[in-house]
Amino acid sequence: MGAGFSSLFTGEDESSLSQLPVRPSLGDLPESCVASVIRYLDPPEICKLARLNRAFRGASLADFVWEEKLPPNYQILVGKVFGYLPETWGKRDIYERLCKANTLDGGTKIVWLDKSTGGVCLSISAKGLSITGIDDRRYWNHIPTEESRFSSVAYLHQIWWFEVESEIEFPFPAGTYSIFFRLQLGRAFKRFGHRICNTEHVHGWDIKPVRFQLWTSDGQYAASQCTLSDPGKWIHYHVGDFVVGNSSSTTKIKLSMTQIDCTHTKGGICLDSLVIYPSKFRERLKQF
């Protein structure tokens, strides 16, 4: 009765309805065609579309889709980070694994790809830096914290000669990069679930500026200086920028952060890490 009732309005019986052509759907598209389109999208968008159906998922696994997303020297990066390149890894597998926080040098360094752009990022913990007086607990201590990706920071009680240095050798892809020190005046902790920052011992940073410098093995040099401020906030202090022209070579960088005016002591500062990002992220980092 239901079919007959419906046919009063459509003017068609069941046999004519069954002969209507079936409209094609997204699932009917060939994987090669889908892959040719999604290759122009950003990685997060590709991963979202992979959930639509089997055709999009298959297309999202195509090597040529991810070949363009990977850094041009990805094979060198994989060798540096993992030590080997399994034959079973496709290009998407490589991209996915490089986007994770991959540790180097006993956990003192973390390297990863930015998920959206494929840009290479590197972070070095305070334990991976050369810090004057770090072994003397009268001056420095490594303290645990949830506010660092390395789970600890170096805290300075008081010192006359403040000097932090680092030498880096890494196969950065061609591009322009910015270097920052992540610092905080004061020591943060939690009380009854609330973040509190003790700034009682912060002193000496408003008298003279801190000087930042970088040198590269191909002759680049940059320097900057600023007075540290805003106690209780983690701030990325810009050291400078450098340019990599050859993706197949290793870039050597020397960095320093100093405040060596011995007319006064300085203290009460937390040093988390040194970070290197593609310069397109520079303004975003300065906001935090």
Side-chain angles (χ1 to χ4, degrees), residues 51-102:
R51 304 191 189 107
L52 284 178
N53 53 50
R54 185 176 299 177
F56 275 79
R57 173 165 177 75
S60 72
L61 298 175
D63 277 349
F64 76 89
V65 171
W66 294 95
E67 184 85 37
E68 300 173 358
K69 311 301 180 186
L70 287 164
N73 66 341
Y74 74 89
Q75 293 180 327
I76 299 175
L77 286 172
V78 169
K80 177 75 172 179
V81 175
F82 304 110
Y84 65 100
L85 178 57
E87 296 181 358
T88 57
W89 285 10
K91 297 298 189 295
R92 173 170 170 163
D93 296 321
I94 296 173
Y95 193 92
E96 182 180 351
R97 284 169 169 78
L98 286 176
C99 284
K100 296 180 180 179
N102 301 288

Side-chain angles (χ1 to χ4, degrees), residues 256-277:
S256 72
M257 173 175 58
T258 57
Q259 213 286 29
I260 53 179
D261 183 349
C262 293
T263 61
H264 64 282
T265 63
K266 37 265 176 187
I269 191 171
C270 285
L271 167 57
D272 173 36
S273 58
L274 180 152
V275 295
I276 303 177
Y277 282 86

Side-chain angles (χ1 to χ4, degrees), residues 122-124 129 166-168 172 176-182 212-216 220 222 224 236-244 251-257 273-282 285-286:
L122 177 69
S123 182
I124 305 175
L129 303 174
S166 179
E167 292 190 13
I168 306 163
F172 289 99
T176 304
Y177 296 84
S178 297
I179 303 180
F180 300 83
F181 277 99
R182 186 172 186 257
F212 304 96
Q213 297 182 87
L214 75 84
W215 302 261
T216 66
Q220 298 179 65
S224 62
H236 288 89
Y237 289 93
H238 185 215
V239 178
D241 299 343
F242 66 95
V243 179
V244 177
T251 302
K252 297 180 181 180
I253 311 164
K254 182 178 179 181
L255 301 138
S256 72
M257 173 175 58
S273 58
L274 180 152
V275 295
I276 303 177
Y277 282 86
S279 291
K280 65 180 66 177
F281 301 131
R282 181 171 57 202
L285 282 174
K286 286 182 178 179

Side-chain angles (χ1 to χ4, degrees), residues 18-233:
S18 63
Q19 295 174 4
L20 289 175
V22 179
R23 293 183 179 179
S25 64
L26 287 175
D28 297 320
L29 291 172
E31 288 184 6
S32 59
C33 293
V34 176
S36 297
V37 175
I38 66 174
R39 66 185 296 188
Y40 297 105
L41 301 178
D42 292 333
E45 295 173 327
I46 295 174
C47 293
K48 289 179 181 178
L49 289 174
R51 304 191 189 107
L52 284 178
N53 53 50
R54 185 176 299 177
F56 275 79
R57 173 165 177 75
S60 72
L61 298 175
D63 277 349
F64 76 89
V65 171
W66 294 95
E67 184 85 37
E68 300 173 358
K69 311 301 180 186
L70 287 164
N73 66 341
Y74 74 89
Q75 293 180 327
I76 299 175
L77 286 172
V78 169
K80 177 75 172 179
V81 175
F82 304 110
Y84 65 100
L85 178 57
E87 296 181 358
T88 57
W89 285 10
K91 297 298 189 295
R92 173 170 170 163
D93 296 321
I94 296 173
Y95 193 92
E96 182 180 351
R97 284 169 169 78
L98 286 176
C99 284
K100 296 180 180 179
N102 301 288
T103 58
L104 298 172
D105 297 342
T108 59
K109 294 184 178 69
I110 295 177
V111 61
W112 71 98
L113 297 186
D114 176 70
K115 293 181 180 180
S116 297
T117 65
V120 174
C121 307
L122 177 69
S123 182
I124 305 175
S125 72
K127 292 183 178 180
L129 303 174
S130 177
I131 303 175
T132 299
I134 191 64
D135 295 324
D136 193 328
R137 292 191 176 182
R138 292 176 300 174
Y139 307 126
W140 289 91
N141 278 112
H142 289 288
I143 59 175
T145 177
E146 297 178 354
E147 298 184 353
S148 169
R149 65 170 67 239
F150 296 99
S151 300
S152 70
V153 298
Y155 178 71
L156 173 63
H157 299 284
Q158 179 173 285
I159 205 166
W160 292 88
W161 185 279
F162 177 77
E163 185 175 34
V164 181
E165 295 181 334
S166 179
E167 292 190 13
I168 306 163
E169 188 172 347
F170 194 80
F172 289 99
T176 304
Y177 296 84
S178 297
I179 303 180
F180 300 83
F181 277 99
R182 186 172 186 257
L183 308 170
Q184 176 185 256
L185 294 178
R187 179 174 178 175
F189 60 95
K190 284 189 175 181
R191 178 179 294 173
F192 304 115
H194 297 283
R195 183 183 190 271
I196 299 174
C197 191
N198 183 356
T199 60
E200 178 183 358
H201 301 291
V202 175
H203 68 283
W205 303 108
D206 57 345
I207 300 175
K208 290 289 180 68
V210 172
R211 182 169 177 80
F212 304 96
Q213 297 182 87
L214 75 84
W215 302 261
T216 66
S217 54
D218 60 356
Q220 298 179 65
Y221 172 75
S224 62
Q225 63 180 25
C226 69
T227 301
L228 306 188
S229 59
D230 292 330
K233 297 180 181 179

